[in-house]
Amino acid sequence: MTNGFMGPPWQMDWTLKAQAARDALPEHVRQMIDAARAELVTAGDPYFRGIEADTGLPEDLHVEPARSSDPKGSRVLYFDNGHGWLTYTFVRRTEDPQIVVEQIFWQ
């Protein structure tokens, strides 16, 4: 193990509310969420900073800051062409950096 900053794949954790909301969704939606999760944990920068930084994502996924006034805060990942979203934060630690999913919604 090196002493430097760890890179992808990132660890991902879910709040209890987000996990319960995910588990209550239909199976095909959970599969879409799992595909979105795979994109997040393998992204070089899970915050997708910069102009069109999320261009490497599949067409039905889009990421943006939850609040433009807080560039290091939560992000919103839209999936299923905007019919669903999840909010997450990226805890950038030297050891074991982690993505934490805070909310999930699908309509």
Side-chain angles (χ1 to χ4, degrees), residues 50-67:
I51 298 171
E52 296 192 33
D54 61 355
T55 55
L57 291 174
E59 288 182 20
D60 64 337
L61 297 179
H62 174 71
V63 176
E64 64 184 37
R67 290 184 2 198

Side-chain angles (χ1 to χ4, degrees), residues 23 35 75 83:
D23 293 345
R75 291 292 195 260
H83 293 174

Side-chain angles (χ1 to χ4, degrees), residues 10-48:
W10 309 108
Q11 298 297 317
M12 182 178 266
D13 198 7
W14 300 72
T15 64
L16 293 176
K17 272 178 97 171
Q19 184 68 48
R22 180 201 174 276
D23 293 345
L25 293 171
E27 177 63 28
H28 74 283
V29 178
R30 289 194 307 265
Q31 289 175 357
M32 286 187 276
I33 293 167
D34 291 344
R37 177 196 179 280
E39 293 292 336
L40 274 179
V41 298
T42 58
D45 178 10
Y47 270 168
F48 296 94

